[in-house]
Amino acid sequence: MKYLFSIISIFLIPFAYSQENTSVTGIITHKTTPIEKVTIEIIGTSYSTETDSQGIYVFQNIPKGDYKLQVSTSGYKTQRKSFSIKTQELIQLDFQLQLDENELNEVVVSGTLKAVKRLESAVPVEVYSPVFFKKNPTPSIYEALQNVNGVRPQLNCGVCNTGDIHINGLEGPYTSVMIDGMPIVSSLSTVYGLSGIPNSLVERIEIVKGPASSLYGSEAVGGLINIITKNPVKAPLFSVDLFTTSWLETNADLGVKFNAGQKATSLLGLNYYNYNQTIDNDNDGFTDVTAQNRISVFNKWNFQREENRLFTFAVRGMYEDRWGGDVRWEKKYRGGDEIYGESIYTKRGELLGSYQLPTTEKLMLSFSGTMHFQDSRYGTTSYIANQKIGFLQLSWDKKIGKNDLLAGIASRYTYYDDNTPSTAVSNENNPEKTWLPGIFLQDEIAFSEKHKLLLGLRYDYNSIHGNILTPRFAYKLKIDENNILRFNAGTGFRVVNLFTEDHAALTGSREVIIANNLDPEKSINANLNYIKKIYFPNGTFLGIETTAFYTRFSNKIVSDYVTDPNKIIYNNIDGYALSQGISCNTDINFTNGLKFILGATYMDVSNVENGIKTRPYLTENFTGTWSVSYKINTINLSIDYTGNVYSPMKLPLLSDTDPRNPNSPWYSLQNIQFTYSGWKNFELYGGIKNLLNFTPKRNNPFLISRIEDPFDKNVQYDTNGKVLVTPDNPYGLTFDTTYVYGPNQGIRGFFGLRYNIY
């Protein structure tokens, strides 16, 4: 009926205005759907209006002349059309808008725990859609984040290829990784859980750089990565995405949507990743990349309820078997000292959901639960761990005048057990059981359209460490529609898990030493964010977002590799630590289809003890990212050129005689992809990864030390425990896998296809 009404309205308009001066009218749609409240203005005049519920707009009594009409609304690309008025007539100008991937006004939830347009949020949130990640297809979220400015996936083990996510130079444990706002990726699961999250589940990824502790708890010290999963209602009926590489890495994503009755919609997803090659291009006798066999099953449900109340829940199961090490290794050598290998079995289950209570007030009950089991062998070192996390939160959302209130109570239970001394008391097993109940309150005050203030406070009680208070402050100044300034500040509190802190504690042959009872870390964090939007007369869009950030830590836990090459000594820093710098993101959209996404971050990260300032290991001063895209519409071909560049990092050496470079070089990982979309519902894509064929072995005699003696059977020590230089150990080293800073895969091709039915 609405389309019939639109057609009738268009036909009636000429009669309504036939006796007046020239009128301009039209319909604004996206595909076949009318869009209401679209702003239409005649540039250089005072003529401005909005579309009605049927997507129709009308201007009347326009004098003769040459004009340019501009159509704009959040989430869609701005369009312009020129027209001339010479006589009294009716001019019809229809527009079919396209979604704008780089528009700065997406709806986000991570900054304030409630849906709000990004430009209206007092907290700066970066948003990345699947379109962004498809420019360089990867099998997991961990790898996909490599092209996000200021975010760097860091490999921490040269054999098993585990890693974490660095934000603005801060190590992975300072970043809280969540799925749909639920804290289900932490401690043990940060090491292997990240690589098990497939891109096919993702609706978008929201990143908050800076304090988020007042809403998300004490782990969100340096930042927050919130993975928003797909809404079954909006998902395609059937989807498949398959790709493989010249290294025979194979990734398959399948998705099926179905209705269960009239009020329930479900999305069932399957991800399978397999890489079982034994490749040793650097000829050191060890695998360049771990072999992996991983399967993940995901099922999400949405239910229709009265008054559009929310009820959704999802479950996911993941199993992974990975190994790396001596190319001669087989499973029969697992845990033995004959042939060195690192073998990890991971089982993981997740449940998460949200239920809006049937009350007049907006009350939301959120819940999640995870089970994570790991059975590992790092040479002869056995690491078997079990972690369970339960989370329950009730939040109240209320708007009173200028105050937009959010309050809630939450409780989190963490069970952690492993076979190391960290969970043993008097030689008896003593699993760590931590309760973390909390309460939070947030008030976002809109003094006017230009000024918005956010005040937040959270109180948690940690059953081991006691009271935790984390305040938060944010201010937004909307100078005008195209200039926005934000200031955010807050505090953080973080409890340490050694396995998460430094995976090297279990690999190689170093002994873990805890010098004292480790105190929780505390931080103060602030950042200043400025967004500038520029619309050029020819339709080109330029968006610039600049952020200055500052974080100061007390009680920071540091790992000492230098005092004893056979030990990793952990202790609280006797001083403080700093992370400060500036980052800039730039989006440029040209009307010819050329698109640039550019990012650069300069940071100064340091530990300060006794007035002496030192830079931590594996921390760069500068990182840059880019994505250049262009579509040749005549042949339905898209070209994406993506990449990043990193400045040198300080690397952990074993001794003064270690011949490896103490710093990494400047290095860049670059990729190119070609996508053909000329067939209905199909996309074919292919390209080359690591165009420059960079690997960390460059300018180094070796990466892993003493690979010929991985169990240190032939290492000799002096009376002080220092490794002696001998004819078969000319550098005086032990077996060590911690010298790693980037992926060890060189240039490789890839090819894939996508198929979707809506």
Side-chain angles (χ1 to χ4, degrees):
M1 287 297 293
K2 64 182 180 182
Y3 299 111
L4 179 60
F5 178 79
S6 301
I7 295 171
I8 294 174
S9 300
I10 292 296
F11 277 107
L12 289 178
I13 288 170
F15 296 100
Y17 303 109
S18 58
Q19 303 303 317
E20 306 292 340
N21 288 341
T22 299
S23 300
V24 178
T25 186
I27 299 178
I28 312 298
T29 59
H30 171 59
K31 296 183 178 179
T32 59
T33 304
I35 310 174
E36 63 177 329
K37 295 187 177 180
V38 177
T39 300
I40 301 98
E41 58 181 323
I42 300 177
I43 297 175
T45 73
S46 60
Y47 288 95
S48 180
T49 188
E50 288 186 344
T51 56
D52 61 18
S53 61
Q54 306 300 317
I56 298 173
Y57 73 92
V58 177
F59 289 112
Q60 54 180 314
N61 299 328
I62 303 176
K64 296 179 181 180
D66 297 325
Y67 300 98
K68 183 173 289 186
L69 194 71
Q70 176 175 289
V71 176
S72 61
T73 188
S74 64
Y76 295 89
K77 293 182 179 179
T78 298
Q79 292 190 21
R80 294 178 176 86
K81 287 184 180 180
S82 299
F83 67 96
S84 298
I85 296 177
K86 298 179 181 179
T87 60
Q88 290 186 1
E89 57 181 328
L90 173 69
I91 296 177
Q92 182 167 336
L93 296 175
D94 296 336
F95 291 82
Q96 190 173 82
L97 300 187
Q98 296 179 344
L99 292 173
D100 190 345
E101 301 153 14
N102 294 320
E103 186 61 52
L104 295 171
N105 217 20
E106 304 96 335
V107 174
V108 297
V109 297
S110 297
T112 58
L113 251 185
K114 58 176 67 180
V116 61
K117 289 183 178 179
R118 184 183 172 199
L119 287 180
E120 298 302 319
S121 172
V123 178
V125 181
E126 296 180 15
V127 183
Y128 298 91
S129 69
V131 174
F132 176 84
F133 296 116
K134 286 179 181 177
K135 298 175 187 293
N136 178 30
T138 59
S140 72
I141 295 297
Y142 172 79
E143 296 176 53
L145 291 171
Q146 64 183 288
N147 282 342
V148 175
N149 180 32
V151 178
R152 183 171 65 85
Q154 168 61 47
L155 285 175
N156 295 324
C157 173
V159 175
C160 60
N161 293 160
T162 57
D164 57 25
I165 303 295
H166 289 207
I167 290 185
N168 290 342
L170 294 176
E171 295 92 337
Y174 296 99
T175 300
S176 182
V177 181
M178 299 193 168
I179 298 181
D180 290 339
M182 305 296 170
I184 65 175
V185 182
S186 66
S187 297
L188 175 64
S189 59
T190 56
V191 178
Y192 294 106
L194 281 173
S195 62
I197 303 174
N199 293 336
S200 59
L201 303 184
V202 178
E203 176 72 26
R204 66 184 185 275
I205 294 179
E206 299 180 0
I207 298 178
V208 178
K209 298 175 181 176
S213 299
S214 66
L215 281 182
Y216 292 96
S218 57
E219 287 187 351
V221 176
L224 169 77
I225 298 176
N226 192 7
I227 300 166
I228 309 296
T229 59
K230 287 182 177 178
N231 184 339
V233 176
K234 299 179 181 179
L237 290 173
F238 175 76
S239 64
V240 60
D241 189 345
L242 304 171
F243 77 84
T244 188
T245 72
S246 56
W247 281 44
L248 298 183
E249 304 161 282
T250 301
N251 186 78
D253 281 314
L254 301 174
V256 178
K257 180 177 77 172
F258 58 90
N259 294 323
Q262 296 182 344
K263 295 188 176 181
T265 305
S266 180
L267 175 63
L268 179 63
L270 172 69
N271 171 257
Y272 178 69
Y273 175 75
N274 180 268
Y275 171 68
N276 60 7
Q277 305 302 302
T278 304
I279 295 179
D280 179 26
N281 286 342
D282 58 7
N283 299 314
D284 64 356
F286 273 52
T287 54
D288 292 343
V289 180
T290 56
Q292 299 176 49
N293 189 35
R294 181 175 66 241
I295 186 167
S296 175
V297 179
F298 175 81
N299 188 210
K300 186 173 184 179
W301 290 79
N302 270 39
F303 297 90
Q304 294 182 12
R305 300 174 59 210
E306 293 182 358
E307 300 182 17
N308 291 322
R309 292 191 179 99
L310 177 68
F311 179 33
T312 179
F313 75 86
V315 293
R316 184 172 79 97
M318 189 268 286
Y319 173 78
E320 181 184 75
D321 176 2
R322 71 162 64 195
W323 78 270
D326 193 308
V327 294
R328 300 168 297 169
W329 188 87
E330 300 176 21
K331 287 192 183 295
K332 64 182 181 181
Y333 298 118
R334 190 174 196 261
D337 64 354
E338 185 176 353
I339 302 293
Y340 186 87
E342 298 185 3
S343 170
I344 301 98
Y345 302 147
T346 304
K347 298 177 182 177
R348 180 171 176 82
E350 302 168 353
L351 167 69
L352 61 153
S354 296
Y355 178 79
Q356 185 177 345
L357 299 183
T359 58
T360 53
E361 296 291 337
K362 190 174 181 180
L363 296 171
M364 189 72 69
L365 183 67
S366 302
F367 54 90
S368 69
T370 66
M371 295 182 295
H372 190 104
F373 178 76
Q374 181 175 318
D375 180 355
S376 315
R377 301 293 185 276
Y378 302 96
T380 57
T381 301
S382 171
Y383 179 75
I384 300 174
N386 183 14
Q387 178 178 273
K388 301 180 179 70
I389 299 176
F391 175 78
L392 190 66
Q393 176 175 283
L394 179 64
S395 60
W396 172 61
D397 187 355
K398 181 72 173 181
K399 192 165 186 178
I400 305 174
K402 296 181 179 180
N403 298 274
D404 198 350
L405 297 170
L406 181 70
I409 56 175
S411 185
R412 180 175 174 179
Y413 173 75
T414 302
Y415 171 95
Y416 177 80
D417 188 22
D418 64 27
N419 62 331
T420 71
S422 65
T423 57
V425 177
S426 300
N427 295 322
E428 293 185 5
N429 190 44
N430 184 40
E432 184 178 280
K433 302 173 184 178
T434 307
W435 283 96
L436 191 67
I439 184 170
F440 60 90
L441 176 64
Q442 174 181 280
D443 186 12
E444 193 170 35
I445 309 167
F447 293 104
S448 65
E449 185 181 353
K450 289 189 174 182
H451 300 278
K452 185 175 288 186
L453 179 68
L454 183 144
L455 302 173
L457 183 66
R458 184 183 183 105
Y459 168 77
D460 292 300
Y461 178 79
N462 187 293
S463 59
I464 297 176
H465 298 283
N467 301 317
I468 305 171
L469 194 65
T470 48
R472 184 189 200 189
F473 169 86
Y475 170 71
K476 189 195 80 168
L477 171 62
K478 185 178 180 181
I479 302 171
D480 55 38
E481 292 294 333
N482 298 323
N483 294 273
I484 295 175
L485 186 68
R486 297 182 178 98
F487 175 75
N488 279 247
T491 65
F493 177 99
R494 194 176 69 88
V495 180
V496 171
N497 176 285
L498 284 187
F499 179 78
T500 306
E501 294 305 303
D502 203 331
H503 188 246
L506 292 168
T507 60
S509 59
R510 291 178 182 253
E511 180 185 359
V512 176
I513 301 296
I514 301 175
N516 298 292
N517 291 328
L518 298 178
D519 295 323
E521 296 184 347
K522 298 179 181 179
S523 72
I524 299 175
N525 190 309
N527 65 66
L528 184 66
N529 174 269
Y530 174 63
I531 288 179
K532 172 72 174 180
K533 296 191 298 179
I534 303 174
Y535 296 94
F536 293 93
N538 65 353
T540 297
F541 169 77
L542 172 63
I544 303 173
E545 182 170 3
T546 303
T547 303
F549 55 89
Y550 174 88
T551 304
R552 187 183 191 276
F553 293 93
S554 58
N555 294 338
K556 184 179 180 183
I557 285 89
V558 294
S559 51
D560 178 1
Y561 289 82
V562 177
T563 301
D564 189 329
N566 300 306
K567 298 177 181 178
I568 302 176
I569 303 172
Y570 293 95
N571 204 351
N572 290 106
I573 191 172
D574 183 17
Y576 60 92
L578 291 177
S579 171
Q580 54 191 342
I582 188 169
S583 68
C584 182
N585 291 319
T586 303
D587 292 357
I588 310 173
N589 284 348
F590 294 97
T591 55
N592 63 358
L594 184 62
K595 186 178 304 181
F596 290 84
I597 302 176
L598 310 173
T601 300
Y602 172 79
M603 50 202 154
D604 176 19
V605 182
S606 59
N607 296 329
V608 182
E609 291 187 273
N610 301 318
I612 301 174
K613 183 178 179 181
T614 59
R615 188 166 58 139
Y617 291 109
L618 299 170
T619 303
E620 69 276 19
N621 285 123
F622 174 83
T623 177
T625 59
W626 66 85
S627 169
V628 182
S629 302
Y630 182 69
K631 185 170 184 179
I632 308 173
N633 291 306
T634 54
I635 58 175
N636 298 301
L637 184 68
S638 299
I639 304 172
D640 295 295
Y641 170 50
T642 59
N644 47 53
V645 61
Y646 301 112
S647 67
M649 298 174 244
K650 181 181 175 183
L651 301 175
L653 299 182
L654 296 184
S655 67
D656 294 337
T657 56
D658 194 327
R660 293 172 293 185
N661 198 316
N663 295 289
S664 66
W666 281 88
Y667 74 97
S668 177
L669 303 175
Q670 302 180 22
N671 322 281
I672 191 166
Q673 175 182 252
F674 301 90
T675 304
Y676 177 74
S677 56
W679 299 331
K680 184 178 179 181
N681 299 330
F682 271 99
E683 282 187 352
L684 295 179
Y685 60 93
I688 300 173
K689 290 178 178 287
N690 197 355
L691 283 165
L692 303 182
N693 196 28
F694 175 82
T695 59
K697 179 72 178 293
R698 188 173 299 179
N699 300 323
N700 277 300
F702 51 83
L703 293 176
I704 303 172
S705 64
R706 294 286 293 170
I707 55 174
E708 70 279 5
D709 184 22
F711 301 102
D712 290 337
K713 295 180 179 180
N714 299 317
V715 175
Q716 299 180 32
Y717 304 89
D718 64 15
T719 56
N720 296 319
K722 183 179 179 181
V723 179
L724 293 174
V725 174
T726 61
D728 66 346
N729 190 4
Y731 302 115
L733 306 179
T734 57
F735 176 71
D736 187 75
T737 66
T738 60
Y739 188 94
V740 59
Y741 57 90
N744 203 30
Q745 279 183 295
I747 188 171
R748 60 201 184 279
F750 66 94
F751 175 79
L753 65 88
R754 301 185 184 99
Y755 178 66
N756 295 283
I757 301 177
Y758 291 91

